[in-house]
Amino acid sequence: MMALKNEIGAEILKAIRAPEFIAPTLLMPCAFYALFSLVFNNSTNNSLYLLATYGVFAAMGPAIFGFGIGIATERDRGWLQLKQIAPTPAYYYIAAKLVTTMLFAACALMPIYLIAGFASDITLTQSNWVSLFAVHISSAIPFALIGLSLGLMFSTNGAIAVSNIIFLSLAIFGGLWVPAFVFSSWMQTLALFTPSYHLAELALSTVNATGEYTPITNLLTITMMSILLTVLAIWAWSKGH
Amino acid sequence: MLNKTFWVSTIAVVLTALIVLLILPKPNTEQFDLLIVNANTYSDGEIHPQTDIGISNGIIQQVSPNISGSATTTIDAQGKTLIPGLTDAHTHTFGDGLKQALKFGITNQIDMFTAPSILSNAIKQRLDINNTQNADLFSSGMLATSSRGHGTQYGIDIETLSNPEEATAWVSKRKIEGSDFIKLVYMPHMLHSQNMNSLNKATAAAVIDASHNAGLKAVAHISSQRGAQDMLNAGIDGLVHQFADSEVTDAFLQQAVKQNIFVIPTLSVIGSADHQEFSLSLAKNNLVNKHLNSMQQQQLSSRFHSDKLPGFNYQLAALNTKKMHAAGVTILAGSDAPNPGTVFGASLHQELQLLVDAGLSQSQALNAATSLPNSIFGITKRGHIKTGQRANILILNSSPLDNIENTLDIHTIIKNGVIFNRDAKYEPNATQPAAIKDGQLSDFSNSLTNNNGMRWVKTDDAIRNGKSTVDINLDDNTLYVNANVRSGFVFPWADAGLFTETPLDISQYSQLSFRVRGTKGQYTALAFSEDRTNLPAMQNFKVDERWRTVQLNITDFDSFDASSTNGFALVAANKVGQFEYYIDDVKLH
């Protein structure tokens, strides 16, 4: 366990020493949320809807970029190969990255919650706040799996490009910026295949906003997607060997 | 080093997240008894659109634009206007008055003279949050007047004052009895009849000083500007009528403003004395008359005297009110119900209209019946719609700020957090009534009893420590009643009644008829049913020396339950004096 803690410590230290990399993924969701919920807001339900979806958006950034670009870079430099043959189990390396990602996701979420609660006057019961936080922070897991696969499959430059495309697509088609129900029908169909859409629906259900599907359906879909992504990541990992 | 980084970072983030989650705003998740949503809420001169009000345990718990709590009962007041329960600042409460008032959304009555014996109960009731079926009563109790002074003619025992030395002891007795303030009668310059009298200036002034020393406000009944001026000079806190004998002088206005007195003009009752007809239009108003019983209908069409009284010029009263208001004298709304031409409840709404006619804005008129009287009389937790107040609220279908008459357009009345059923008769009873056998109640051919197990008995106020007496006898196949009604109890009575031990169901009958003759005057038939805790239902009838047949509709006995009748009584109505009358052929049809 000491090894895992040290791995996590190293990941955190790495991020802190290169703030220009992690800072945008922490600040952008918060800035977007402030912009859309405070400046462009024109109906009362809007800020609650945006809180649920922008929380997913906030967890997505550190997960996709942290994993995708981080692993690609380390793989390019041969660090990953070193890790794979080192005495510490290889999954410590992944687990440490995941824990760090979730810590950063939490850092990205807090300012959004504070803006929602104290500037947009959103009130939620204690259990609603906690379950919303639980959904948001867990959203990092499927996105981390996506990032992991990308990092294992692409070179650094390729990973930067592809991560950005995937990140923006998941945000837009998942309805994280603009509600999916305003999309044209083909876009709505596409939305169903993104984890972001189902995570957003799940987040909305925790704040008592009704979604298109039941939370159970959303949860099952997410689980299925996560299993598929895990399979993809394992395949990419073994291919890299 | 890495281990330390792990711990510091993880603990810092987890702790921050915990703190943020704890301090984030939570809705009031209280379960309310009653939640009113989307209401335009009027309180203290301001209207707050789209307000939610959460009520529990009879108290307003929360007033905010958006309450997300749940409630046992929720009222959507979209498009409706909420005002605080109204306060009538001048009444004389007795009988069902507090319930009749509540039927019109008056949740507080400031009484300007009633029998001291009812005060302790009134105080107990107004403290009781479960007092949801009657208005709350605040009262002067006994009034300060002289022997043969105004107030002594009503049959209530009054300890009169004749010199200033008696004032301190008199006031402290009132305080012990539970008087909330002191009311005195000062009208030496304009007496309504030759054999009346009044407190003199020195005694009245001594009563005011004694009241202030006892920590009580002193208010005065005056009938002229001279009287009002004397009271002003003596340091009175308020006048409970407008004077209507002369136009108010600038000097008076200046002094009244300087001394910060208040005036309760009671334009309703002055108008009635001056034969203005507005109480008749009140009786015709469909929003009013369906909630009045026949006695109240009659009350609104009755007059003080056949001749107009001197000193009651309505135009002058309205003008003086207008000038006082313009000068900055505080005006409060009071009806002086139930004097002729006024009734509990409805007449306060009329008073608000008259105050608006006299120059108050709609908002000022509302304040005169909500926030102002309560703060002036030191009545707490009433008169506003805000957190911590008694949940006394009127939901109006239309806004009184558009038209003050809309205070009568009542959607819901809430007293101490409970929706008051304006149309309810009363709770169903526990005793199973028996079916009536025979509609022929009494022909007095040989006995005072009848086939239904009913018996004629005499009743008088001796059971309430009154002094009235009565005798009843069979006389030549009729019932002879000889009643001597004397002052003593607040409503002195002595009469004959036909009562049953077991309640009877007489609901198949629609009319009570009897023949009567006797001492000329207006009499009252009382109908008693099982569940009445207050006064019985009443209808009036006339009696003179000749035999006449009286027919009364059972349904005109307001809040009388014919399915559990206890009996009827035929009485010389609420008047002191000697009455002899004969009754015969009492029947149900």
Side-chain angles (χ1 to χ4, degrees), chain B residues 142-429:
Chain B
M142 188 187 287
L143 48 60
T145 189
S146 63
S147 162
R148 288 185 293 114
H150 177 63
T152 58
Q153 71 270 41
Y154 299 112
I156 298 179
D157 259 349
I158 293 179
E159 183 189 345
T160 55
L161 291 127
S162 52
N163 64 65
E165 286 72 43
E166 296 166 352
T168 303
W170 190 94
V171 167
S172 65
K173 274 190 202 169
R174 302 294 82 77
K175 198 171 180 180
I176 290 164
E177 279 170 353
S179 294
D180 294 299
F181 55 93
I182 298 297
K183 179 193 173 181
L184 60 96
V185 173
Y186 181 74
M187 41 196 294
H189 313 106
M190 191 161 302
L191 294 168
H192 300 317
S193 77
Q194 289 297 319
N195 52 8
M196 280 181 80
N197 202 344
S198 166
L199 291 178
N200 58 38
K201 199 192 287 189
T203 308
V207 170
I208 296 171
D209 288 344
S211 306
H212 291 164
N213 289 337
L216 298 175
K217 282 207 153 54
V219 299
H221 169 112
I222 45 85
S223 57
S224 65
Q225 182 156 208
R226 276 178 69 194
Q229 183 67 56
D230 284 350
M231 289 298 93
L232 203 51
N233 295 342
I236 199 76
D237 296 297
L239 304 176
V240 301
H241 291 290
Q242 183 60 271
F243 49 83
D245 63 321
S246 56
E247 188 176 334
V248 61
T249 65
D250 288 343
F252 185 98
L253 287 174
Q254 278 172 19
Q255 193 180 347
V257 171
K258 194 173 158 214
Q259 292 181 212
N260 197 22
I261 68 157
F262 62 89
V263 174
I264 308 168
T266 63
L267 297 174
S268 302
V269 86
I270 293 172
S272 168
D274 195 26
H275 294 195
Q276 302 290 318
E277 304 269 282
F278 35 62
S279 64
L280 296 177
S281 60
L282 189 66
K284 286 188 194 121
N285 186 333
N286 286 331
L287 293 170
V288 173
N289 55 23
K290 64 182 169 189
H291 298 289
L292 298 177
N293 62 30
S294 57
M295 284 287 284
Q296 290 176 304
Q297 295 273 8
Q298 206 163 0
Q299 187 94 2
L300 281 180
S301 48
S302 64
R303 286 173 171 171
F304 267 93
H305 297 269
S306 47
D307 298 324
K308 290 189 181 186
L309 291 169
F312 285 93
N313 181 325
Y314 178 75
Q315 301 311 326
L316 278 176
L319 176 67
N320 289 346
T321 302
K322 186 180 195 127
K323 292 184 87 169
M324 286 184 179
H325 171 65
V329 177
T330 305
I331 302 291
L332 303 183
S335 65
D336 205 3
N339 269 297
T342 62
V343 291
F344 292 116
S347 289
L348 182 72
H349 294 267
Q350 178 182 273
E351 183 73 19
L352 293 179
Q353 296 163 19
L354 298 177
L355 289 177
V356 169
D357 290 346
L360 275 73
S361 70
Q362 279 90 344
S363 172
Q364 287 164 337
L366 286 177
N367 293 347
T370 54
S371 50
L372 286 175
N374 289 287
S375 67
I376 283 172
F377 281 91
I379 298 169
T380 56
K381 299 191 174 176
R382 292 161 178 86
H384 314 266
I385 299 180
K386 61 183 187 194
T387 307
Q389 290 263 310
R390 289 289 186 96
N392 296 337
I393 295 171
L394 261 68
I395 305 178
L396 303 174
N397 291 315
S398 43
S399 173
L401 298 178
D402 298 336
N403 182 346
I404 196 67
E405 289 178 31
N406 291 340
T407 56
L408 280 166
D409 193 5
I410 296 171
H411 176 267
T412 304
I413 296 166
I414 296 162
K415 173 77 199 305
N416 287 355
V418 174
I419 296 170
F420 178 73
N421 185 349
R422 298 178 88 189
D423 306 312
K425 295 289 182 182
Y426 41 82
E427 296 296 309
N429 64 32

Side-chain angles (χ1 to χ4, degrees), chain B residues 34 54 57 77-78 81 85 112 199 246 276 310 317 329 348 355-356 374 431 533 550 566:
Chain B
L34 177 62
N57 306 320
Q78 184 74 49
T81 303
M112 291 293 168
L199 291 178
S246 56
Q276 302 290 318
V329 177
L348 182 72
L355 289 177
V356 169
N374 289 287
T431 321
T533 47
V550 176
N566 280 333

Side-chain angles (χ1 to χ4, degrees), chain A residues 2 5-10 12-13 16-17 99 102-103 106-107 110 113-114 117-118 121-126 129-130 133, chain B residues 1-14 16-29 66 68:
Chain A
M2 183 55 96
K5 285 180 224 159
N6 284 337
E7 282 278 4
I8 297 170
I12 293 166
L13 212 56
I16 293 169
R17 284 180 181 164
V99 171
M102 287 170 102
L103 288 176
C107 294
M110 289 310 123
Y113 288 3
L114 290 170
F118 296 103
D121 292 329
I122 287 176
T123 59
L124 292 174
T125 61
Q126 186 67 74
W129 279 118
V130 170
F133 178 62
Chain B
M1 151 75 181
L2 289 178
N3 191 31
K4 197 177 157 198
T5 311
F6 164 76
W7 282 115
V8 171
S9 316
T10 310
I11 291 171
V13 172
V14 170
T16 311
L18 272 179
I19 292 169
V20 168
L21 288 174
L22 278 174
I23 62 162
L24 283 169
K26 314 292 182 302
N28 195 329
T29 52
N66 191 7
S68 37

Side-chain angles (χ1 to χ4, degrees), chain B residues 406-460:
Chain B
N406 291 340
T407 56
L408 280 166
D409 193 5
I410 296 171
H411 176 267
T412 304
I413 296 166
I414 296 162
K415 173 77 199 305
N416 287 355
V418 174
I419 296 170
F420 178 73
N421 185 349
R422 298 178 88 189
D423 306 312
K425 295 289 182 182
Y426 41 82
E427 296 296 309
N429 64 32
T431 321
Q432 197 58 41
I436 191 161
K437 295 185 189 118
D438 191 354
Q440 183 72 39
L441 295 180
S442 299
D443 62 4
F444 306 106
S445 53
N446 49 26
S447 86
L448 291 172
T449 59
N450 68 18
N451 293 337
N452 302 304
M454 302 176 90
R455 168 182 285 276
W456 281 92
V457 294
K458 56 181 188 178
T459 76
D460 56 47

